[in-house]
């Protein structure tokens, strides 16, 4: 399975279109920027990734795990 790396332009706006970063590219980008993940966030990401969540479902699950639960 090959990845298409060609740039594309939107036919309506003429702007370049891009796809969201994958997990591996986001990790490389974070290393270049000097951002390190905590052990809690790395464990959370691994847990939800192993469950098969991807995309928006993965992002909302991670966000939900770090929000404070009120009323408890």
């Amino acid at each position: 399975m090959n990845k298409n790396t060609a740039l594309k332009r939107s036919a309506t706006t003429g702007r370049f279109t891009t796809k969201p970063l994958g997990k591996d590219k986001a990790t490389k980008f974070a290393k270049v920027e000097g951002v390190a993940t905590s052990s809690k966030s790395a464990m959370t990401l691994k847990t939800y990734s192993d469950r098969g969540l991807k995309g928006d479902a993965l992002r909302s699950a991670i966000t939900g795990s770090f929000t404070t639960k009120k009323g408890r």
Side-chain angles (χ1 to χ4, degrees):
M1 184 161 123
N2 294 334
K3 291 185 179 181
N4 186 1
T5 57
L7 292 175
K8 296 180 182 179
R9 283 188 177 250
S10 170
T12 56
T13 63
R15 293 183 174 192
F16 288 107
T17 57
T18 59
K19 294 181 180 179
L21 292 177
K23 185 173 73 170
D24 295 332
K25 285 188 180 182
T27 303
K28 289 178 185 176
F29 182 74
K31 285 181 182 177
V32 168
E33 293 295 319
V35 177
T37 57
S38 67
S39 59
K40 181 181 177 184
S41 62
M43 184 178 64
T44 302
L45 178 61
K46 183 173 178 354
T47 300
Y48 289 123
S49 295
D50 290 346
R51 290 183 186 172
L53 294 178
K54 293 182 180 178
D56 288 334
L58 178 61
R59 282 187 279 285
S60 63
I62 291 170
T63 303
S65 70
F66 284 99
T67 57
T68 57
K69 310 283 191 282
K70 293 186 178 181
R72 288 187 179 201

